[in-house]
Amino acid sequence: MNEDVLSFVNAVGMLRVIASLSLVPQLPSLVEYLMPAVDQWQTMPFAGGMAG
């Protein structure tokens, strides 16, 4: 698989996780499932390596 495509797919997945955080007020237990992905997202290079 092309590395650029894989990076894009991973970025979209992380965006879905971050967007899901908006549901936490209605579903507080969701936090425990999303936090591992948020922690991983925070260690990833910005925008798939587009550091400026």
Side-chain angles (χ1 to χ4, degrees):
M1 180 181 272
N2 185 329
E3 287 297 317
D4 292 335
V5 173
L6 182 58
S7 294
F8 177 76
V9 169
N10 286 337
V12 170
M14 286 295 146
L15 183 59
R16 290 176 59 198
V17 169
I18 300 305
S20 297
L21 288 173
S22 66
L23 298 173
V24 169
Q26 290 84 17
L27 301 167
S29 62
L30 193 60
V31 171
E32 71 181 272
Y33 298 105
L34 296 177
M35 286 314 295
V38 171
D39 292 339
Q40 179 186 0
W41 174 69
Q42 290 176 331
T43 65
M44 297 172 67
F46 177 74
M50 295 180 55

